[in-house]
Amino acid sequence: MRLGKKMGVVAAGAALTLSLAACAGEGAGSGNENAPAGDGGDDVKIGVAMPTETSERWIADGNAVKDGLEAAGYAVDLQYAGDDIPTQTQQIDSMITGGADVLIIAAIDGTALSSQLDAAAAANIPVISYDRLIRDNENVNFYVTFDNYQVGVAQATALLNGLGLTDATGEPTGEKGPFNVELFAGSLDDNNAHFFWKGAMDTLKPFLDDGSLKVPSKQTDIEQAAILRWQQETAQKRMEDLLTSTYSDGTKLHGVLSPYDGLSRGIITALQGVGMGPTIEEGLPVVTGQDAEIASVKLIADGVQQSTIFKDTRKLADQAVVAAEAYLEGEKPDANDTSTYENGVKVVPSYLLDVDTVYADNIQELLVDSEYWTQEEIESGQAE
Ligand code: BGC
């Protein structure tokens, strides 16, 4: 059973004392692995830092984390930073000085929060890295996320499946193409972008190697494919530039690897802008995605965008709440991965969730039956 608010802090403080005694000599900095000091006040306060409200997934994440924490009886300070790094660092600074007992942070730039993490550790505030790994600092206590490498595998598999090179499970069909594709990656300062890219490129490699898949622009490095801050307009512009530089001679484009629905919509706008499609059936290249954003789910239902990766943010929020509660009760959260997420300084114990690939024919099962979106929202393309 959950301890009462004040009890939780007292117990956590007691556990800290015990754990410090038990861990004496076990290594520098291990003290804050276990529990917050507690401020002795009546309320336990949790700071939740989210990157941006321009993408609806982060709004859903923020709301779900807030609701879960409030239902557990904690006060929540939820802040969005408009994808601006100084805003996010200021927000976290004020959560720390404002007496937060735990921090849950989805970073904009995973390498930009070191002084905040040092300050949190000095104040004995556990830090839970949310969805995106905070890098280059030892004071990240726990990481809740999805299996980011698998997201990349799933995106590439959806692309191969859409082209007919494999089936939906990634089993080669024997089809040899060749098919022309272009590749997009996320923001280089987001650790996830590198995992998505690696999972995707490992999956595409055999087909690139045997020539059944080609990248006519030859832009196959993540630095060339990356889109800073995951901006839709930047992706649209890059796609327009690629169409001009590489496809204006009539070379046919069959597919685009896109790691996020916002980018996918920018890419689709560029493709339709030169008269392709408007649907896949009418010749629009196969475009992948991620996040099951409502505008993209409608495009998938309408046969325009081919696929997206569904990450159930409700489950991720639940895990963040479970991890925060563990710290408040003087325990360590359970990890299901203790080897993958090396942040440049240490391997961060992690809890990874599975993802699903959404196509037009399983929208109902994955998104409507699970009550992630309603049928009406999908028809209108707008969240209610
Ligand atoms: C998240 C993705 C999201 C992207 C852009 C990544 O860190 O894992 O789900 O599409 O950021 O917001």
Side-chain angles (χ1 to χ4, degrees), residues 152-194:
V153 171
Q155 288 168 338
T157 303
L159 179 65
L160 293 169
N161 179 29
L163 297 172
L165 289 169
T166 70
D167 67 13
T169 70
E171 198 56 44
T173 55
E175 164 70 55
K176 287 292 168 208
F179 295 108
N180 293 332
V181 296
E182 294 298 337
L183 312 172
F184 282 70
S187 195
L188 293 176
D189 54 8
D190 180 347
N191 196 57
N192 287 352
H194 301 268

Coordinates of all heavy atoms in Angstrom, one line a residue, residues 152-194:
G152 N 13.3 2.0 -34.5 CA 14.0 2.1 -35.8 C 13.8 0.9 -36.7 O 13.5 1.0 -37.9
V153 N 13.9 -0.3 -36.1 CA 13.7 -1.6 -36.8 C 12.3 -1.6 -37.4 O 12.0 -1.9 -38.5 CB 13.9 -2.8 -35.9 CG1 13.5 -4.1 -36.6 CG2 15.4 -2.9 -35.4
A154 N 11.3 -1.2 -36.5 CA 9.9 -1.2 -37.0 C 9.6 -0.2 -38.1 O 8.9 -0.5 -39.0 CB 9.0 -0.9 -35.8
Q155 N 10.3 1.0 -38.0 CA 10.1 1.9 -39.1 C 10.6 1.4 -40.4 O 10.0 1.5 -41.5 CB 10.8 3.3 -38.7 CG 10.0 4.0 -37.6 CD 10.8 5.1 -37.0 OE1 12.0 5.2 -37.1 NE2 10.0 6.0 -36.4
A156 N 11.8 0.9 -40.4 CA 12.5 0.3 -41.6 C 11.7 -0.8 -42.1 O 11.5 -1.0 -43.3 CB 13.9 0.0 -41.3
T157 N 11.2 -1.7 -41.2 CA 10.4 -2.9 -41.7 C 9.1 -2.4 -42.3 O 8.7 -3.0 -43.4 CB 10.1 -3.8 -40.5 OG1 11.4 -4.1 -39.8 CG2 9.4 -5.0 -40.9
A158 N 8.5 -1.4 -41.8 CA 7.3 -0.8 -42.4 C 7.6 -0.3 -43.8 O 6.8 -0.6 -44.8 CB 6.7 0.3 -41.6
L159 N 8.7 0.3 -44.0 CA 9.1 0.8 -45.3 C 9.3 -0.3 -46.3 O 8.8 -0.3 -47.4 CB 10.4 1.7 -45.2 CG 11.0 2.2 -46.5 CD1 10.0 3.3 -47.1 CD2 12.3 2.9 -46.2
L160 N 10.1 -1.3 -45.8 CA 10.4 -2.5 -46.7 C 9.1 -3.2 -47.0 O 8.9 -3.7 -48.2 CB 11.3 -3.5 -46.0 CG 12.7 -2.9 -45.7 CD1 13.5 -3.9 -44.8 CD2 13.5 -2.8 -47.0
N161 N 8.2 -3.3 -46.1 CA 6.9 -4.0 -46.3 C 6.1 -3.2 -47.3 O 5.5 -3.8 -48.2 CB 6.2 -4.1 -44.9 CG 4.8 -4.7 -45.0 OD1 4.6 -5.6 -45.9 ND2 3.9 -4.3 -44.1
G162 N 6.1 -1.9 -47.1 CA 5.3 -1.0 -48.1 C 5.8 -1.1 -49.5 O 5.1 -1.0 -50.5
L163 N 7.1 -1.4 -49.6 CA 7.7 -1.5 -51.0 C 7.5 -2.9 -51.6 O 7.8 -3.1 -52.7 CB 9.2 -1.1 -50.9 CG 9.6 0.3 -50.5 CD1 11.1 0.5 -50.3 CD2 9.1 1.3 -51.5
G164 N 7.2 -3.8 -50.7 CA 7.1 -5.2 -51.1 C 8.3 -6.0 -51.0 O 8.4 -7.2 -51.5
L165 N 9.4 -5.5 -50.4 CA 10.6 -6.2 -50.2 C 10.6 -7.3 -49.1 O 11.3 -8.3 -49.1 CB 11.8 -5.3 -50.0 CG 12.2 -4.4 -51.2 CD1 13.2 -3.3 -50.8 CD2 12.9 -5.3 -52.3
T166 N 9.7 -7.0 -48.1 CA 9.5 -8.0 -47.0 C 8.0 -8.0 -46.7 O 7.3 -7.1 -47.2 CB 10.2 -7.5 -45.7 OG1 9.6 -6.4 -45.1 CG2 11.7 -7.3 -45.9
D167 N 7.7 -8.9 -45.9 CA 6.3 -8.9 -45.3 C 6.3 -8.0 -44.1 O 7.4 -7.5 -43.7 CB 5.8 -10.3 -45.1 CG 6.5 -11.1 -44.0 OD1 7.3 -10.4 -43.2 OD2 6.3 -12.3 -43.9
A168 N 5.2 -8.0 -43.3 CA 5.1 -7.1 -42.2 C 6.0 -7.5 -41.0 O 6.4 -6.8 -40.2 CB 3.7 -7.0 -41.7
T169 N 6.4 -8.8 -41.1 CA 7.4 -9.3 -40.0 C 8.8 -9.1 -40.4 O 9.7 -9.4 -39.6 CB 7.1 -10.8 -39.7 OG1 7.6 -11.5 -40.8 CG2 5.7 -11.1 -39.4
G170 N 9.1 -8.6 -41.6 CA 10.4 -8.3 -42.0 C 11.0 -9.5 -42.8 O 12.2 -9.5 -43.2
E171 N 10.2 -10.5 -43.1 CA 10.7 -11.7 -43.8 C 10.8 -11.3 -45.3 O 9.8 -10.8 -45.9 CB 9.6 -12.8 -43.7 CG 10.1 -14.2 -44.0 CD 11.3 -14.6 -43.3 OE1 11.4 -14.4 -42.0 OE2 12.2 -15.2 -44.0
P172 N 12.0 -11.4 -45.9 CA 12.1 -11.0 -47.4 C 11.1 -11.8 -48.3 O 10.9 -13.0 -48.0 CB 13.5 -11.4 -47.7 CG 14.3 -11.4 -46.4 CD 13.2 -11.9 -45.4
T173 N 10.6 -11.1 -49.2 CA 9.6 -11.7 -50.1 C 10.3 -12.3 -51.4 O 9.6 -13.1 -52.1 CB 8.6 -10.7 -50.6 OG1 9.3 -9.6 -51.2 CG2 7.7 -10.1 -49.5
G174 N 11.5 -11.9 -51.6 CA 12.2 -12.3 -52.9 C 12.1 -11.3 -53.9 O 12.9 -11.3 -54.9
E175 N 11.3 -10.3 -53.7 CA 11.2 -9.1 -54.7 C 12.6 -8.4 -54.6 O 13.2 -8.3 -53.6 CB 10.0 -8.2 -54.2 CG 10.0 -6.8 -54.7 CD 9.6 -6.8 -56.2 OE1 8.6 -7.3 -56.5 OE2 10.4 -6.1 -56.9
K176 N 13.0 -7.9 -55.8 CA 14.3 -7.3 -55.8 C 14.4 -5.9 -56.2 O 15.4 -5.3 -56.4 CB 15.3 -8.2 -56.7 CG 15.7 -9.5 -56.1 CD 16.6 -9.3 -54.9 CE 16.8 -10.5 -54.1 NZ 17.1 -10.3 -52.7
G177 N 13.2 -5.3 -56.5 CA 13.2 -3.9 -56.9 C 13.8 -3.6 -58.2 O 13.6 -4.4 -59.2
P178 N 14.8 -2.7 -58.3 CA 15.2 -1.9 -57.2 C 14.2 -0.7 -56.9 O 13.6 -0.2 -57.8 CB 16.6 -1.3 -57.7 CG 16.4 -1.3 -59.2 CD 15.5 -2.4 -59.6
F179 N 14.2 -0.3 -55.7 CA 13.4 0.8 -55.2 C 14.3 2.0 -54.7 O 15.3 1.8 -54.1 CB 12.5 0.3 -54.1 CG 11.5 -0.7 -54.5 CD1 11.6 -2.0 -54.1 CD2 10.4 -0.4 -55.3 CE1 10.7 -3.0 -54.5 CE2 9.5 -1.3 -55.7 CZ 9.7 -2.7 -55.3
N180 N 13.8 3.2 -55.1 CA 14.5 4.4 -54.6 C 13.9 4.9 -53.4 O 12.7 5.2 -53.3 CB 14.5 5.4 -55.7 CG 15.2 5.0 -57.0 OD1 16.2 4.2 -56.8 ND2 14.8 5.5 -58.1
V181 N 14.7 5.2 -52.4 CA 14.2 5.8 -51.1 C 15.1 6.9 -50.7 O 16.3 7.0 -51.1 CB 14.2 4.7 -50.0 CG1 13.2 3.6 -50.3 CG2 15.5 4.2 -49.6
E182 N 14.5 7.8 -49.8 CA 15.3 8.8 -49.1 C 15.1 8.6 -47.6 O 14.1 8.1 -47.2 CB 14.9 10.2 -49.6 CG 15.2 10.5 -51.1 CD 16.7 10.5 -51.4 OE1 17.5 10.7 -50.5 OE2 17.1 10.3 -52.6
L183 N 16.1 9.1 -46.9 CA 16.2 8.8 -45.4 C 16.2 10.1 -44.6 O 16.9 11.0 -44.9 CB 17.5 8.0 -45.1 CG 17.8 6.8 -46.0 CD1 19.1 6.2 -45.8 CD2 16.7 5.7 -45.8
F184 N 15.3 10.1 -43.6 CA 15.3 11.2 -42.7 C 15.6 10.7 -41.3 O 15.2 9.6 -40.9 CB 13.9 11.9 -42.7 CG 13.7 12.8 -43.8 CD1 13.6 12.3 -45.1 CD2 13.7 14.2 -43.7 CE1 13.4 13.1 -46.2 CE2 13.5 15.0 -44.8 CZ 13.4 14.5 -46.0
A185 N 16.3 11.6 -40.5 CA 16.6 11.2 -39.1 C 16.0 12.4 -38.2 O 15.7 13.5 -38.7 CB 18.1 11.0 -38.9
G186 N 16.0 12.1 -36.9 CA 15.5 13.2 -36.0 C 16.6 14.2 -35.6 O 17.6 14.3 -36.3
S187 N 16.5 14.8 -34.5 CA 17.4 15.8 -34.0 C 18.6 15.2 -33.4 O 18.5 14.4 -32.5 CB 16.6 16.7 -33.0 OG 17.3 17.9 -32.8
L188 N 19.8 15.6 -33.8 CA 21.0 15.0 -33.4 C 21.3 15.1 -31.9 O 22.0 14.3 -31.3 CB 22.2 15.5 -34.2 CG 22.3 15.2 -35.6 CD1 23.5 15.9 -36.3 CD2 22.3 13.7 -35.9
D189 N 20.7 16.1 -31.3 CA 20.9 16.3 -29.8 C 19.9 15.5 -29.0 O 20.0 15.5 -27.8 CB 20.8 17.8 -29.4 CG 19.5 18.4 -29.9 OD1 18.6 17.7 -30.4 OD2 19.3 19.7 -29.7
D190 N 19.1 14.7 -29.7 CA 18.2 13.8 -29.0 C 18.8 12.4 -29.2 O 18.9 11.8 -30.3 CB 16.8 13.9 -29.6 CG 15.8 12.9 -29.0 OD1 16.2 12.0 -28.3 OD2 14.6 13.1 -29.3
N191 N 19.2 11.8 -28.0 CA 19.8 10.4 -28.1 C 18.9 9.4 -28.8 O 19.4 8.5 -29.5 CB 19.9 10.0 -26.6 CG 20.9 8.8 -26.4 OD1 22.0 8.9 -26.8 ND2 20.4 7.7 -25.9
N192 N 17.6 9.6 -28.7 CA 16.7 8.6 -29.4 C 16.9 8.6 -30.9 O 16.8 7.6 -31.5 CB 15.2 9.0 -29.1 CG 14.8 8.7 -27.7 OD1 15.6 8.0 -27.0 ND2 13.6 9.1 -27.3
A193 N 17.2 9.8 -31.5 CA 17.3 9.9 -32.9 C 18.4 8.9 -33.4 O 18.3 8.3 -34.5 CB 17.7 11.3 -33.3
H194 N 19.5 8.7 -32.6 CA 20.6 7.8 -33.0 C 20.1 6.4 -32.9 O 20.5 5.6 -33.7 CB 21.8 8.1 -32.1 CG 22.2 9.5 -32.3 ND1 23.2 9.9 -33.2 CD2 21.8 10.7 -31.6 CE1 23.4 11.2 -33.1 NE2 22.5 11.7 -32.2

